[in-house]
Structures are given as C-alpha cells and as structure tokens.
Amino acid sequence: MTKLDGKVGLEWRTVMKSAWLVTNEFLNTQKYSELNMWLVKAAEKYNIDLLVKTNAELLVDLGGNHIIQNLIEVEKPEFVLFWDKDIRLASFLESLSVKVFNSSKAIEICDNKAMTHIALKQKNIKMPKTILAPMTYENIGFTNYDFVERMKKQLSYPIVVKECFGSFGQQVYLVHEDVELMRCIEKIGAKPFLFQEYIKSSFARDIRLNVVGDQVVATMYRYSDTGDFRANISNGGKMKPFKPTKQQIQLAVDCVKALGLDFAGVDLLFDENEEPIVCEVNSNAHFKNIYDCTGVNVAECILGYICNKLNLVNESA
C-alpha cells in the first residue's frame, strides 16, 4: 500500500527513469532554486532522474523546427512536473502526448482567483461571497462605477479586494469605507479583480493543507500577531502543526478534485462556527515552510504519487 507521508517509499525499478521539472527561467532566486533541488532530490528516492528545464529553454516553436519534440525523442521523459505557470508551454507539451502534472487547465484555473471561485461554485463548495469586477481595457479604464454601488448592496464593509493574479497574500486588500475602496480600485487599474466577503471570525488566521491525490499529507495553522488580517508566512505570519478535522480534510480534497488538480495547497478560513470555508487554492504551493513546521516532505509525496499513478513501480512492491 502506498503511503504519501513523505517518509515511506516504495521499491522502485532499478533502471533510472527520466523526467522533466519545468521551472521559470526568470524566477532564479535562491528561494526558487532551493525548491527545485528539493524536487530533484525527492525524485532520486524514486529512481527518477528529474532534469530541470526552464520555459525559455523549452521554446515553443510552431514553425516546424521541433525544438521540444527533438528533446523529447532524445531524453524520453516519463512525465513533466510543471512547477511554473506558463500554461502555453504546458498546453503545448500536452499536445505532444507528454504527461504533465499539474495539467495546463488546472494550473490556468488556479492561477486566476476568479476562475477558481467559478469552478468551486459549480461544485457547491463553501467559500466567501464573491463578486467579480467587470473587465475593462487598459486604455479605457472604468468610465462609470455603477457596478461598485451594486456590489455594496451585497457586501458590507470591511470588504476584501483581490487582484485575480497574485501569490503569497500579495495583491489582497482590506478596505473599510468608500474613499479607501475607490483608491484601491484606481490602484489596481485595468487588471482583473474581485470583491469578497470579509470573514471576521478568521482574522489573521487560516490553515494550509497540502493535498496530494486524495490525501491531505501535511497541515499547518498560520496566524499573525502583527495586526495584518492575512496569515501568510511571507507577510510575517507564524505557523504551528495542526490536526485537521474530517470536514476540513474533505473540503480540501473536494477542492482539488473540483479543479482537476493532482496536488495543491488549499487555504481554509474559519467561519463564525469554526467550520471551514475555502480561501484560495495554489497549484504550485511552496513546501519548505510546511516541512519546517511538520517534518513532512511534500516534494517526496508528490513524486511518489506521480510514480505510482504512472505505474513506475516494481510490480513486486
């Protein structure tokens, strides 16, 4: 039986298999390089030679020079672990019949908070009341703000305003009155954004559950004592291990299934009855903090799951 706790492995084939780890050429800080190496080392445990490829190296050439196709023929990757959000490249790899984890469609949905909430709503997954701001164009902006008044009839202050693209709790704002709200909208400009109900009962606290397949493999409680309503570690939040309830586990797994993900970090809030409510889902959740907090190596869980799903395991295991 396969265990996805980052500590128990399987007996893998003795022949080393090849796979690709796709990263972003331009996110080359020590933080990202360290995460990449964690994944490479995790792959070694399962007898996988995980070769790092950047999205600039894997240049999508639709003119017939077959750059990526030729590499695939030579290196024969069993799968691609896509640790980036360049969905055009991910989609192209899929068109070449390469197994990509997570899929381009799942990454695209998760990268856009509006699309995430639309997908969750379709599955009746509990989340804060959410209203999408209408799209406008950069050279036009908003020529009237009637939609803001209509939104305010549904949501009361304070209101959470989120840009649809952003990570680490950035591009998320809490506004308390009209002037502050209008300044926030003007600051965002033509970028897509949404308005959301403020869950007062979850002020400065949430839980991050790392889901792999249909299992929650690690959970941490995040909190802030700085006065910031966000609990993200990157914003000065703190963390401690947390034992999730059956309801929290089920909600996190349901999110992953609803979005077509193989693995993700799911952030849950606490409603007024301490019951879980979905905040966000991250298809490429960083795992160093949760390792420091819980001792669970999520990178190993992910690689073990992929190898097991693709039957890259010795039949006698």
Side-chain angles (χ1 to χ4, degrees):
M1 181 176 180
T2 306
K3 290 188 177 181
L4 294 174
D5 59 2
K7 299 174 183 177
V8 179
L10 297 172
E11 182 184 348
W12 304 100
R13 300 179 195 267
T14 56
V15 177
M16 183 73 80
K17 298 287 185 177
S18 173
W20 290 354
L21 171 63
V22 174
T23 66
N24 192 283
E25 174 75 27
F26 313 104
L27 290 176
N28 51 12
T29 64
Q30 181 178 349
K31 175 181 179 179
Y32 286 95
S33 296
E34 183 180 18
L35 290 173
N36 297 342
M37 289 304 100
W38 274 52
L39 291 165
V40 170
K41 289 181 180 179
E44 291 174 357
K45 179 175 180 179
Y46 304 116
N47 212 34
I48 297 292
D49 184 16
L50 191 60
L51 306 174
V52 179
K53 307 286 185 182
T54 74
N55 63 326
E57 180 182 355
L58 298 177
L59 193 63
V60 176
D61 185 346
L62 304 178
N65 289 325
H66 309 299
I67 297 172
I68 298 177
Q69 294 95 317
N70 291 338
L71 269 176
I72 291 173
E73 283 296 317
V74 172
E75 298 182 1
K76 295 180 171 56
E78 298 284 343
F79 62 86
V80 167
L81 179 54
F82 206 88
W83 213 259
D84 190 29
K85 296 181 179 180
D86 191 335
I87 56 174
R88 297 167 299 181
L89 172 57
S91 180
F92 184 69
L93 288 168
E94 289 167 340
S95 76
L96 301 176
S97 299
V98 177
K99 298 288 186 181
V100 178
F101 299 89
N102 281 297
S103 72
S104 62
K105 184 62 176 178
I107 294 172
E108 181 179 21
I109 292 173
C110 279
D111 192 35
N112 185 328
K113 293 179 176 63
M115 298 305 296
T116 298
H117 285 289
I118 289 172
L120 296 180
K121 179 65 175 178
Q122 291 174 345
K123 297 297 182 179
N124 295 315
I125 289 176
K126 187 176 180 181
M127 60 187 189
K129 295 177 183 177
T130 302
I131 297 175
L132 309 185
M135 191 204 87
T136 187
Y137 296 92
E138 187 173 356
N139 62 330
I140 297 176
F142 294 116
T143 55
N144 72 67
Y145 292 91
D146 292 346
F147 69 94
V148 175
E149 296 305 315
R150 293 168 62 192
M151 177 275 298
K152 286 163 52 182
K153 292 179 180 179
Q154 304 298 321
L155 301 178
S156 58
Y157 287 117
I159 296 170
V160 176
V161 181
K162 293 183 179 180
E163 296 182 27
C164 289
F165 299 94
S167 302
F168 307 113
Q170 302 299 313
Q171 296 84 41
V172 178
Y173 317 97
L174 185 65
V175 297
H176 299 82
E177 44 84 25
D178 288 354
V179 173
E180 190 177 6
L181 174 61
M182 296 309 297
R183 285 175 179 169
C184 183
I185 293 173
E186 290 173 3
K187 176 182 178 181
I188 294 172
K191 291 179 286 188
F193 67 98
L194 55 83
F195 307 99
Q196 202 163 67
E197 172 191 14
Y198 170 56
I199 307 300
K200 182 179 179 181
S201 52
S202 201
F203 175 81
R205 65 189 184 113
D206 66 14
I207 56 174
R208 159 64 61 86
L209 301 94
N210 277 83
V211 181
V212 180
D214 59 358
Q215 296 184 44
V216 171
V217 298
T219 307
M220 65 179 173
Y221 178 89
R222 305 187 301 187
Y223 61 100
S224 175
D225 54 12
T226 65
D228 194 323
F229 76 102
R230 300 164 297 180
N232 302 74
I233 306 300
S234 57
N235 291 325
K238 299 178 181 178
M239 59 187 177
K240 61 182 179 180
F242 183 85
K243 184 177 180 180
T245 66
K246 290 182 180 180
Q247 189 178 10
Q248 290 164 340
I249 291 172
Q250 189 61 58
L251 184 56
V253 172
D254 287 346
C255 284
V256 168
K257 289 181 179 179
L259 299 173
L261 294 156
D262 288 283
F263 50 84
V266 181
D267 298 339
L268 301 182
L269 304 174
F270 300 89
D271 73 6
E272 64 276 8
N273 298 314
E274 290 296 285
E275 294 183 353
I277 181 169
V278 178
C279 179
E280 292 182 3
V281 182
N282 191 328
S283 64
N284 299 80
H286 289 203
F287 42 77
K288 185 179 184 303
N289 285 335
I290 207 161
Y291 174 79
D292 292 339
C293 183
T294 68
V296 176
N297 189 332
V298 177
E300 290 183 2
C301 296
I302 291 171
L303 268 300
Y305 163 82
I306 292 173
C307 290
N308 192 60
K309 184 171 184 176
L310 297 181
N311 199 27
L312 300 176
V313 56
N314 193 310
E315 294 178 357
S316 64

